[in-house]
Amino acid sequence: MKPEMEVSDWQEISESLHNGIIAINRNEEVIIFNRAASKILNIPKEDAIGKQIDQVIPNTQLIKVMKTGLEEHNQHININNHVIISNRNPIWRGNEIIGAVAIFQDISEIEVLSHQLDAFKEINNRLDAIIESLDDGIVVADNRGIIIVANDAYQRMTGITAKEFVGKHVRDLLRQGYMNKSVTEMVVERRSRVNVMDVRNGKNLLLSGSPIFDDKGNVLYVVTEVRDVSQLNELEGKLAESEQIRDKYFRELEHLRSQQSFKKIITKDPEMQKKLEMAYHVAGVDSNVLILGETGVGKELIAQLVHRASKRAKQPFIKINCGAIPQNLLESEFFGYEAGAFTGALKEGKLGLFELAQGGTIFLDEVGELSLELQVKVLRAIQDKEITRIGGKKPIQLNVRIVAATNRDLSVMVKEKLFREDLFYRLNVVPIVIPPLRKRKEDILSLVEEFLGKYNRKYGYQKWIHSDVMETFWEYDWPGNIRELENTIERLVVTYHEDCIKTDALAETSLSSLKPRNKDISSLQTCIEREERRLILEAYRSARSTRKAAKMLNISQSCMVKKMKKYNLAVEEIL
């Protein structure tokens, strides 16, 4: 048998190594336990040398390696909260195993550094992803002027590849014609942000360089942001064009608003007052309203009342006269069109009246005149609360309140297949039927006074109406209703040559065919009261005080006050 290996052969070598070394002989005794092993395992050397290895390190694998002769490499062991990596080998002498050796190292610090490195790599990857996601070009150079980063956006703007750019000094790039100005050197020199304009690859570029400082205030890097202002100039032009179009639409909207004549509604008729109460009541909700009545009864005034009394009062009130717009233009007026939608279309397109009414109320006057084809599209707009412009593909959401009006009997039109039943029910959520003037004759006197005062002021006259004419007004049926009455009053004011408008003034009017009735005592008294009321009203309007008005009529002030109360003439109503 060959003698055991000499321990002295190993001592000087093992003690000089940074790695821990443990060696055992064939008797499983520790023969080498160097200083590094003692430090890593926290075991004194004297407690290990000569001892059985399993007494020094329980569950050691060195015995197994020695018996099997199989090597074990890169084995991780956790000892005393330290990560140890170990390589174990049998010791051969010739064909005989005479022991085993383990060489190991504490890699805890390396593990920490490895995790930190992985974290830094992740942060770096995220920063790279962020920089690459930007539409603006980004270039990073160090304080020496060497380019270290150039994102894809910069390469697209300048037509330069990263291979041509990254790793080179900015002066070399200037000399080679890759750039005209070096923002990096300007920033390093000035130690502050620098903005310059440059032309590269046929584009106008805005270069904004910013310094990055270390803890001591030294410039470490320069980050340059590159923006293609050619696109900004183009966008600025488009924005200016859009603002012009917007201003045009605002002018159109203001023009439409300026045409809104929100007149007061004059009535003392109980039935008509009920209709007004209904209009006020439904104004608080967004239900569709259908106003029915003969021509000239004031359907538009009721529609305006619904709008003014609603939460939409400060928004547009857009009126569409369905009977006045040519059928071939109705769709484009209703829904608008996109640029180039048809021959003769405005190049910027046009907003429809439904869009102009956004947030407010749209009044479909004479809705019974709509063609069946357009009724379908109006129905869709009401149901879906959206429209599509002619030539457009994107639906436009609507927020409008629908009020419609007609002098036609829509229920009959539905039966005759002239009006869609589904549209009729959509519009007829809240019907308001306005009675004709012949069924509320109590309003004739008040309306005559209103219109007479209006046109006297407008044309600078002081005309008044004879009681016989008032009697004729009372007897007439007024098929044109309030509109006919107003037109008649204006005609009499501007055409009759005397201040007192008498019955002969009616010769050229539709009232001329009306035969006057025999007046009884009761009707005479009525006429006297009407004339007295008119005189009191005119006197107060002229004098603006009861004292002066009484003096004009040669009556006492107390009598004047009593008569004003008798005829329900409130000061605010008169003035």
Side-chain angles (χ1 to χ4, degrees), residues 8-52:
S8 60
D9 296 341
W10 297 90
Q11 292 297 332
E12 292 182 359
I13 297 174
S14 66
E15 289 298 331
S16 66
L17 296 177
H18 176 71
N19 292 348
I21 298 178
I22 300 176
I24 60 174
N25 59 20
R26 65 179 54 170
N27 296 323
E28 302 175 6
E29 296 171 342
V30 177
I31 58 175
I32 295 178
F33 196 88
N34 72 347
R35 186 183 302 108
S38 176
K39 181 180 179 181
I40 293 171
L41 300 178
N42 195 25
I43 298 174
K45 185 175 181 178
E46 55 271 19
D47 292 344
I49 296 296
K51 302 290 195 304
Q52 292 289 309

Side-chain angles (χ1 to χ4, degrees), residues 14 62 67 169 209 235 250 267 325 513 539:
S14 66
L62 271 178
K67 290 182 177 180
H169 198 283
L235 290 173
F250 276 143
T267 184
I325 304 174
S513 61

Side-chain angles (χ1 to χ4, degrees), residues 351-362:
L351 291 177
L353 294 173
F354 270 80
E355 280 186 81
L356 288 173
Q358 281 283 28
T361 303
I362 193 161

Side-chain angles (χ1 to χ4, degrees), residues 318-331:
I318 302 298
K319 174 187 174 182
I320 304 178
N321 191 324
C322 303
I325 304 174
Q327 288 292 330
N328 61 331
L329 297 179
L330 270 175
E331 185 175 359

Side-chain angles (χ1 to χ4, degrees), residues 291-329:
I291 305 171
L292 304 168
E294 296 178 4
T295 298
V297 293
K299 298 186 290 294
E300 183 177 348
L301 293 182
I302 301 299
Q304 292 174 350
L305 184 152
V306 171
H307 174 71
R308 285 180 296 157
S310 74
K311 59 186 178 182
R312 300 174 180 266
K314 294 183 179 180
Q315 301 303 318
F317 175 85
I318 302 298
K319 174 187 174 182
I320 304 178
N321 191 324
C322 303
I325 304 174
Q327 288 292 330
N328 61 331
L329 297 179

Side-chain angles (χ1 to χ4, degrees), residues 73-89:
H73 298 289
N74 298 321
Q75 302 298 308
H76 284 68
I77 308 169
N78 289 311
I79 299 176
N80 299 326
N81 295 321
H82 288 265
V83 179
I84 310 298
I85 186 169
S86 174
N87 293 319
R88 309 182 190 101
N89 300 79

